[in-house]
């Protein structure tokens, strides 16, 4: 929640500055650059508590101590779905290999040997 709050503060600073610089005729690229620099400076000077809360939240998430984003049930469901998809792909591949073998019986084997049908 702290990240969202800090993002909204920065966006509330950036958007009006961007619009003002666009109206002053600086062009879109310079207006974005000026708006970003000024909103960064203002948020750095006046919103230190919110920035620290947001960085603490990110630090906690990356530390490995945070709860997983997905629950154990979701992970189990995903593993079951992956196994089902893999089984279907394997079945489709084996059917394709069987159909190729029956359509071309004189073709070479995997080792390069071509069986003779008559002597």
């Amino acid at each position: 929640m702290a990240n969202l709050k800090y993002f909204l503060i920065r966006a509330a600073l950036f958007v009006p500055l961007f619009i003002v610089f666009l109206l002053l005729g600086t062009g879109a690229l310079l207006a974005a650059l000026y708006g970003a620099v000024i909103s960064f400076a203002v948020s750095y000077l006046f919103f230190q508590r919110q920035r620290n809360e947001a960085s603490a939240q990110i630090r906690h998430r990356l530390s490995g101590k945070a709860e997983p984003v997905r629950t154990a049930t979701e992970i189990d469901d995903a593993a079951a779905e992956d196994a089902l998809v893999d089984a279907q792909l394997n079945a489709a591949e084996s059917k394709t290999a069987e159909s190729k073998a029956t359509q071309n019986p004189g073709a070479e084997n995997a080792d390069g040997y071509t069986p003779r049908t008559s002597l």
Side-chain angles (χ1 to χ4, degrees):
M1 187 68 179
N3 288 318
L4 178 63
K5 184 178 179 181
Y6 187 61
F7 169 77
L8 291 175
I9 290 170
R10 293 281 304 267
L13 290 171
F14 173 78
V15 171
L17 288 169
F18 178 72
I19 292 172
V20 166
F21 283 114
L22 272 180
L23 293 175
L24 290 175
T26 60
L29 185 61
L30 282 177
L33 181 66
Y34 294 156
V37 169
I38 293 172
S39 67
F40 167 75
V42 170
S43 65
Y44 186 79
L45 292 173
F46 298 109
F47 298 107
Q48 180 179 1
R49 183 176 57 85
Q50 289 85 355
R51 186 180 67 249
N52 289 341
E53 289 173 3
S55 64
Q57 186 179 19
I58 292 171
R59 188 180 321 114
H60 177 68
R61 171 61 58 193
L62 296 177
S63 70
K65 297 176 184 175
E67 296 178 11
V69 176
R70 295 172 63 187
T71 64
T73 305
E74 290 173 328
I75 292 170
D76 292 341
D77 287 346
E81 290 171 4
D82 291 344
L84 181 62
V85 168
D86 289 342
Q88 289 175 346
L89 287 175
N90 289 339
E93 288 174 359
S94 65
K95 284 184 181 180
T96 304
E98 287 175 9
S99 66
K100 285 182 181 178
T102 57
Q103 289 175 358
N104 197 0
E108 292 182 353
N109 291 340
D111 60 354
Y113 173 73
T114 304
R116 292 189 178 181
T117 56
S118 62
L119 291 176

